[in-house]
Amino acid sequence: MPQPAIFKTSTVIITYRRDDALSQTLSRLAEVLPGDARDHEVVLVDNNADGRNRSVMLDAFRHARYVASSCNLGVAAGRNLGVAEASGEVLVFIDDDALVCGGTGFHDAVVKAFEDDASLGAVAFRSHMREEGVSDPIEFPHTDKTLPRDAAFETFRFIGVGHAIRAEAMASVGPYYASFFYGMEEFELCFRLMDLGWSIRYEPRFAVLHMKMPSGRLPTKAVAQRMYANKLCLAWMHLPTKEFVLCACAWAVKTLLDTRSPATVLRAILAFTKNARTDRMKRLPKAHVVNKISVLGGVPWR
């Protein structure tokens, strides 16, 4: 859970095998958060566990915390570790290969978005690819990819590469599921946010340029396997039976087409069944959240 609020924002970055990209990410962030920024802190979670102390990379920031993990915790547990160290009213999450697109008022504007709407639990940032102004359709936070990229709207998900969560909302729903490790962890958290009445907005005025560095990433088949297994876990926990079956079937076909590997599909199903037996992963379908997603023009199982 977040620490008692001291700062307006805590920017949490998890890094793994991307020192060059991380250097660029922090350099851009330092331009957005100048050295005299008193109301904002940066929390760097180091998943490398290689014995190197990367705290010197935070020297440009007035308030910074360095958290070294003893092993690669993955994205979900890594974010949880960062949240536990953070003490901002708003938690800003940026990938270690993403550049903030904005000037020195970026973080204050994010804070104001939450101050203006007491029900706002999370803000989805716009993700640019290659160059600013060109959005990545995969990282557009809605299942309807025909929606305009430059207009704000209420949505039902955010993408991990760039987003912000009200610390109070994070405390109310609990941490990311560490067993997800990587993939779908943010979508699952969105179900819990909406279940408790928090809203989620896509705000394209807050954006990042996602460099998508290949280093530190899992092989393609391993990614596909985790995505399918985690999608099954998410659907099992939160979707009614009909939507769960649709999700399981549709994603099985997609995973098979993407990997051409029936074994990958089978391993994902086995990983899901193993996780589904854990006490924490209880099946509690949220019909009202599913209905809300449909009202917002989304497809709950996609």
Side-chain angles (χ1 to χ4, degrees):
M1 293 298 98
Q3 298 292 325
I6 298 174
F7 302 100
K8 287 184 178 180
T9 68
S10 296
T11 299
V12 179
I13 301 172
I14 300 99
T15 190
Y16 180 67
R17 293 185 177 178
R18 288 183 186 155
D19 284 353
D20 290 343
L22 175 63
S23 179
Q24 295 180 62
T25 295
L26 291 174
S27 293
R28 175 66 66 86
L29 188 60
E31 297 173 7
V32 176
L33 288 176
D36 61 350
R38 299 174 182 272
D39 297 327
H40 310 280
E41 70 170 349
V42 177
V43 179
L44 177 62
V45 178
D46 189 348
N47 265 345
N48 286 282
D50 56 3
R52 179 182 172 186
N53 188 334
R54 292 173 173 79
S55 62
V56 295
M57 301 178 78
L58 299 172
D59 286 350
F61 304 99
R62 182 184 183 94
H63 301 290
R65 300 189 189 198
Y66 175 71
V67 187
S69 174
S70 59
C71 63
N72 179 15
L73 295 172
V75 175
R79 286 199 188 120
N80 290 341
L81 187 57
V83 169
E85 292 293 327
S87 53
E89 296 174 7
V90 174
L91 307 169
V92 177
F93 296 90
I94 298 172
D95 279 4
D96 61 355
D97 61 348
L99 307 177
V100 174
C101 303
T104 56
F106 183 93
H107 286 71
D108 287 330
V110 171
V111 171
K112 190 173 187 307
F114 286 96
E115 289 177 343
D116 289 345
D117 184 353
S119 70
L120 185 62
V123 171
F125 294 177
R126 183 175 183 175
S127 176
H128 297 297
M129 59 180 185
R130 296 189 302 275
E131 59 185 78
E132 293 183 28
V134 181
S135 294
D136 187 341
I138 295 175
E139 295 180 346
F140 183 63
H142 201 286
T143 50
D144 183 357
K145 306 303 182 183
T146 67
L147 292 174
R149 303 294 196 265
D150 56 356
F153 55 80
E154 184 178 1
T155 187
F156 48 89
R157 61 174 52 165
F158 55 78
I159 308 300
V161 64
H163 64 282
I165 303 177
R166 187 191 298 270
E168 178 190 353
M170 190 82 196
S172 71
V173 300
Y176 285 98
Y177 279 108
S179 61
F180 275 44
F181 192 83
Y182 165 80
M184 301 296 170
E185 75 286 341
E186 67 267 53
F187 291 3
E188 189 282 323
L189 188 72
C190 288
F191 271 86
R192 286 187 275 146
L193 285 169
M194 295 175 67
D195 182 42
L196 292 186
W198 296 104
S199 65
I200 303 166
R201 283 192 64 79
Y202 168 63
E203 288 284 356
R205 58 191 168 124
F206 307 125
V208 294
L209 176 62
H210 195 184
M211 296 182 283
K212 288 194 174 183
M213 297 297 189
S215 54
R217 297 184 184 276
L218 294 169
T220 301
K221 285 186 179 179
V223 170
Q225 179 180 320
R226 283 191 181 277
M227 288 292 190
Y228 183 35
N230 290 349
K231 193 71 173 181
L232 286 171
C233 291
L234 181 158
W236 174 255
M237 287 188 285
H238 301 303
L239 297 184
T241 301
K242 177 183 176 181
E243 284 77 10
F244 170 75
V245 172
L246 284 170
C247 175
C249 294
W251 276 77
V253 172
K254 175 174 171 40
T255 305
L256 184 60
L257 291 174
D258 288 346
T259 64
R260 305 293 178 181
S261 170
T264 298
V265 176
L266 179 59
R267 284 193 292 267
I269 294 173
L270 291 174
F272 154 68
T273 56
K274 179 180 178 180
N275 285 335
R277 293 193 198 104
T278 64
D279 291 337
R280 213 170 153 214
M281 199 166 286
K282 296 179 180 178
R283 179 160 170 75
L284 296 170
K286 298 175 176 58
H288 64 290
V289 175
V290 170
N291 292 336
K292 179 66 178 292
I293 292 172
S294 297
V295 168
L296 294 173
V299 181
W301 52 267
R302 284 181 59 186

